Amino acid sequence: KQEVTQIPAALSVPEGENLVLNCSFTDSAIYNLQWFRQDPGKGLTSLLLIQSSQREQTSGRLNASLDKSSGRSTLYIAASQPGDSATYLCAAFPNDYKLSFGAGTTVTVRA
Amino acid sequence: SQTIHQWPATLVQPVGSPLSLECTVEGTSNPNLYWYRQAAGRGLQLLFYSVGIGQISSEVPQNLSASRPQDRQFILSSKKLLLSDSGFYLCAWREGLSPLHFGNGTRLTVT
């Protein structure tokens, strides 16, 4: 069974600092990995999807890397802003339909 | 473009009452559909997924059931709610192995 872990569970940084969020998974036989953002009381918003053949994906200030051999993915958010405050979740897609989610990292960016 | 609709946004139901949550997707055909539950302070739990009309896979044995009467409609039901059914219910869809997209969720409180 695929297990996904996100450490730390919570993170607080001053505005302008770069954010580094970690995601680890136990089974390297994943098809792809997706990062999401969740605001309080809301659904999940897709941020980035990394295919298993890719090493990274970028969108604006966001960059996500994937290292299947070590079972890790990292989400980088450059020059953090208070609006980046949210919970960030990663999900590993195995070769069937059962996605495995991490518990998330709750980020607070202090103005 | 594709959109997902989930309703109601909030629901308060007494123990023992029935439940029906509905999710519809627009702008896509034959999507994979998912129901997740997110309990307070916990990660996402996959409840059901469907790869086609009438095809439902259950991940967690409990008093909930799901149905897919139409290609883009996914319904979560219960005949008798328990207190432990309280939580945040999220519908999601994806086309093949494309990114997973979530609805805005339903906050269910069982009293």
Side-chain angles (χ1 to χ4, degrees):
Chain A
K1 178 184 174 183
Q2 177 74 269
E3 292 187 3
V4 180
T5 305
Q6 293 185 249
I7 296 175
L11 186 61
S12 179
V13 299
E15 182 177 3
E17 190 167 301
N18 296 333
L19 284 164
V20 180
L21 306 180
N22 298 304
C23 172
S24 61
F25 44 93
T26 53
D27 187 350
S28 62
I30 64 170
Y31 196 87
N32 49 32
L33 188 137
Q34 190 170 355
W35 282 93
F36 297 86
R37 167 186 172 136
Q38 186 176 28
D39 293 293
K42 303 294 184 181
L44 280 69
T45 300
S46 177
L47 296 175
L48 291 168
L49 173 72
I50 312 174
Q51 305 285 354
S52 62
S53 58
Q54 299 174 318
R55 295 298 298 266
E56 65 177 353
Q57 274 284 355
T58 299
S59 176
R61 294 185 294 113
L62 277 61
N63 174 276
S65 65
L66 175 63
D67 184 345
K68 289 178 59 179
S69 61
S70 66
R72 293 183 181 180
S73 178
T74 303
L75 178 66
Y76 300 88
I77 303 177
S80 62
Q81 304 168 359
D84 295 327
S85 298
T87 297
Y88 292 83
L89 297 95
C90 67
F93 287 41
N95 290 321
D96 58 17
Y97 303 97
K98 304 176 188 178
L99 290 69
S100 298
F101 278 84
T105 296
T106 298
V107 172
T108 302
V109 180
R110 308 186 304 272
Chain B
S1 63
Q2 301 95 344
T3 56
I4 179 169
H5 303 280
Q6 191 180 340
W7 67 92
T10 59
L11 192 59
V12 180
Q13 293 283 98
V15 169
S17 64
L19 173 73
S20 181
L21 303 181
E22 190 163 339
C23 171
T24 60
V25 182
E26 296 178 357
T28 184
S29 297
N30 196 31
N32 298 329
L33 298 172
Y34 302 81
W35 278 112
Y36 282 90
R37 179 170 60 198
Q38 189 176 37
R42 299 180 64 182
L44 283 161
Q45 179 186 34
L46 178 62
L47 301 176
F48 301 96
Y49 69 92
S50 171
V51 300
I53 296 174
Q55 301 179 61
I56 309 294
S57 296
S58 173
E59 289 297 300
V60 184
Q62 53 198 337
N63 68 319
L64 297 174
S65 62
S67 62
R68 186 171 177 173
Q70 299 180 40
D71 181 42
R72 290 168 288 178
Q73 184 184 30
F74 205 22
I75 298 172
L76 182 69
S77 304
S78 174
K79 292 182 180 179
K80 289 185 177 181
L81 284 169
L82 306 173
L83 285 174
S84 59
D85 291 325
S86 293
F88 192 45
Y89 289 81
L90 291 154
C91 180
W93 73 274
R94 58 195 296 233
E95 199 172 87
L97 294 172
S98 65
L100 183 68
H101 297 281
F102 282 85
N104 288 329
T106 295
R107 175 76 57 192
L108 173 66
T109 303
V110 182
T111 59

